[in-house]
Amino acid sequence: MEERLYDLIFICRPATPEEEIKKIITALEHTCAEKGGKIEKVEQWGTRKLAYRVAKHREGMYVYFQIKTTHGELISELERRLRVQDAVIKYLTIRLDEDLKRQQKLTRRRDKRAGRRSRRQAAAGEHAAAAS
Amino acid sequence: MPDEQNPQPQSGGGAPPRREGGGGGRREGGPGGGPGGPRRGKRQYFRKKKVCKFCVEKIDFIDYKRPELLAPFVQDKGKILPRRMTGTCSRHQRWLGVAIKRARNIALMPFATAADPTPVQRPH
């Protein structure tokens, strides 16, 4: 099965102590390791203002994961774990690999076209030089 | 013969200046009454041609994780602006919509709400 790339973001209550967030992160890392997922990135964005109220909070601490896995069950397991955490007020998983594939395709195409155009301009320049 | 049938445009020295004056007055009245702007030749309104920001900057992937990039494409309330306002091309508008909706789901951007989220005051 092909490998898929996911973004996983969750928001903790603003009053959550640092250790607890660390604990959640390590727990998720463990789960990932067990199920054969690979963590590409972990970022803590710190406390940010929420665009709307979530669980009566106006701010939240964001944690961002990027996970590569072939097992889709890993994602449901991670989500289940986040759901039971009291500190976590919101989470979101997004599959990214298809968007990135599309991006690569477009970038490649643009590069190719740019290359062709510059070559054509060079050729036109030579023609003009030969004619004169 | 034609001169005699239509005396107003050609003959009658007093008539053409009056007409010009009247026309000028009307032309001046137009921009004064409506929204002004630089008049260029015949065009009343000159509008800058809008181009797709994402095409110009060669962005193939609109990142939902950076709401500050998406902010110019929504109203203060959080509504997604139509293409005719922002000039985004159809392809990028589609992706932009997806990105904004993702950002909304993780509270990075508002759903359509009041611009300033002040607590609702209930009448007692």
Side-chain angles (χ1 to χ4, degrees):
Chain A
M1 212 167 109
E2 53 153 350
E3 224 169 21
R4 289 178 177 177
L5 187 68
Y6 296 91
D7 264 4
L8 173 63
I9 302 180
F10 63 87
I11 309 174
C12 296
R13 287 175 202 281
T16 316
E18 196 65 28
E19 310 94 71
E20 198 168 339
I21 292 180
K22 284 271 184 296
K23 227 161 71 186
I24 297 172
I25 292 174
T26 42
L28 291 183
E29 281 170 347
H30 270 293
T31 317
C32 257
E34 271 173 35
K35 296 254 180 181
K38 207 166 82 194
I39 293 179
E40 301 277 307
K41 261 187 223 164
V42 186
E43 283 170 20
Q44 285 194 52
W45 296 350
T47 310
R48 283 180 78 129
K49 204 163 168 283
L50 301 176
Y52 47 88
R53 278 163 61 121
V54 181
K56 294 186 182 169
H57 293 293
R58 293 206 172 276
E59 301 185 317
M61 298 169 95
Y62 279 77
V63 184
Y64 168 65
F65 275 86
Q66 203 166 61
I67 296 164
K68 217 175 208 178
T69 184
T70 49
H71 303 288
E73 318 92 72
L74 170 64
I75 299 302
S76 46
E77 174 66 14
L78 290 174
E79 288 197 342
R80 194 188 64 76
R81 274 169 194 269
L82 287 174
R83 219 174 301 136
V84 299
Q85 286 283 350
D86 281 338
V88 177
I89 50 176
K90 211 165 176 57
Y91 60 84
L92 179 75
T93 326
I94 283 172
R95 194 177 149 193
L96 268 190
D97 54 320
E98 287 189 330
D99 291 359
L100 289 179
K101 210 188 284 168
R102 192 187 61 197
Q103 177 202 3
Q104 281 162 6
K105 191 172 149 194
L106 284 168
T107 312
R108 229 181 294 133
R109 196 163 64 180
R110 176 175 313 115
D111 290 349
K112 217 163 107 189
R113 205 177 288 163
R116 215 186 296 149
R117 196 178 299 136
S118 61
R119 235 178 293 136
R120 201 184 299 145
Q121 274 168 0
E126 277 170 28
H127 271 296
S132 67
Chain B
M1 276 297 278
D3 291 352
E4 284 170 25
Q5 277 176 336
N6 292 340
Q8 281 103 354
Q10 285 165 353
S11 69
R18 194 155 39 83
R19 275 163 57 96
E20 269 178 13
R26 236 186 299 133
R27 262 184 274 149
E28 276 162 16
R39 276 175 62 206
R40 299 205 174 172
K42 276 186 196 171
R43 290 179 79 173
Q44 289 281 125
Y45 309 108
F46 177 75
R47 202 168 278 146
K48 208 174 99 186
K49 189 164 188 330
K50 285 175 290 191
V51 286
C52 173
K53 179 182 175 270
F54 299 100
C55 287
V56 170
E57 299 189 6
K58 295 181 178 157
I59 297 169
D60 290 325
F61 174 68
I62 301 175
D63 195 356
Y64 69 97
K65 295 189 287 293
R66 297 183 63 189
E68 69 276 9
L69 293 184
L70 307 176
F73 299 93
V74 298
Q75 285 176 9
D76 291 346
K77 281 166 78 178
K79 282 186 165 186
I80 300 173
L81 285 171
R83 238 148 59 69
R84 62 172 182 271
M85 312 267 297
T86 58
T88 316
C89 72
S90 75
R91 186 194 258 171
H92 281 116
Q93 179 77 6
R94 206 159 56 234
W95 300 341
L96 182 70
V98 171
I100 291 172
K101 284 166 191 170
R102 283 175 175 176
R104 279 175 179 171
N105 267 310
I106 197 66
L108 290 173
M109 292 194 97
F111 288 96
T113 53
D116 184 26
T118 45
V120 180
Q121 289 184 348
R122 288 162 195 261
H124 292 289

